Amino acid sequence: EDKVVQSPLSLVVHEGDTVTLNCSYEVTNFRSLLWYKQEKKAPTFLFMLTSSGIEKKSGRLSSILDKKELFSILNITATQTGDSAIYLCAVWQGAQKLVFGQGTRLTINP
Amino acid sequence: NAGVTQTPKFRILKIGQSMTLQCTQDMNHNYMYWYRQDPGMGLKLIYYSVGAGITDKGEVPNGYNVSRSTTEDFPLRLELAAPSQTSVYFCASMGWKLSNEQFFGPGTRLTVL
């Protein structure tokens, strides 16, 4: 059965800390891995990763994929209270379906 | 472009009632999806469609039905509402380019009492 597992499920840190969120997957016909940020409404797209070892960056956020070990990490440096959200990892299974992990709830305390 | 729109935003149903959740996209996307998200959980795929007239089951289709008569619209039907269907429902769409990002609607919060 296809599955995507995220860890930790919940994380509380202080503003300014650096955090690493993990996503491992077992999916047939892997095509790409996506990261989303979800605040109080719909998920918003962060990154799409297709190739191993190539880091994607957007400001303080970065992500990398390891297709050999079947995992990805999302790093957030110098965290701010606005980074508080649920971070979702999802993997394209075959051509048509995204399989989502359960999400990591990140809380940044001032 | 309005993107992906969903109605209603909130709804309370009694057990056994029926309703349709509406989803419309104006991006001419072929792929459309319905997900449900339970508290503290990720998204689970209910149904999806790769184009008008074509639908397929996802991970949790029981208790739901869909149709796709046009490219723009992808309504989700609940026939006999049950408390287990209390959830937030998201509709999403994606263009022809595969393995691309999905665009999500704002969600419908449904409570079944």
Side-chain angles (χ1 to χ4, degrees), chain A residues 38 43 88 98-102, chain B residues 6 21 33-48 58-64 76-78 80-92 102 104 107-112:
Chain A
Q38 185 178 25
L88 295 167
L98 265 182
V99 180
F100 280 85
Q102 67 272 58
Chain B
Q6 291 182 238
L21 281 65
Y33 303 81
W34 273 107
Y35 295 94
R36 59 177 286 173
Q37 186 177 32
D38 299 331
M41 303 293 287
L43 279 72
K44 295 196 174 183
L45 181 64
I46 305 172
Y47 270 96
Y48 68 103
E59 185 183 355
V60 289
N62 291 344
Y64 307 94
L76 177 72
R77 179 84 179 159
L78 282 71
L80 292 170
S84 61
Q85 293 177 305
T86 294
S87 192
V88 179
Y89 291 83
F90 290 103
C91 179
Q102 290 186 342
F104 284 85
T108 294
R109 184 176 295 275
L110 176 68
T111 302
V112 182

Side-chain angles (χ1 to χ4, degrees), chain A residues 65-96:
Chain A
L65 174 67
D66 185 327
K67 290 168 72 174
K68 182 179 177 184
E69 300 297 330
L70 307 183
F71 78 91
S72 174
I73 60 172
L74 175 68
N75 278 322
I76 309 175
T77 59
T79 52
Q80 302 171 357
T81 54
D83 295 326
S84 294
I86 297 173
Y87 289 84
L88 295 167
C89 172
V91 174
W92 277 108
Q93 179 265 321
Q96 299 164 347

Side-chain angles (χ1 to χ4, degrees), chain B residues 11-15 17-19 78 81 110-113:
Chain B
R11 185 73 187 267
I12 298 175
L13 285 181
K14 294 182 180 177
I15 294 172
Q17 286 186 319
S18 301
M19 78 164 293
L78 282 71
L110 176 68
T111 302
V112 182
L113 300 175

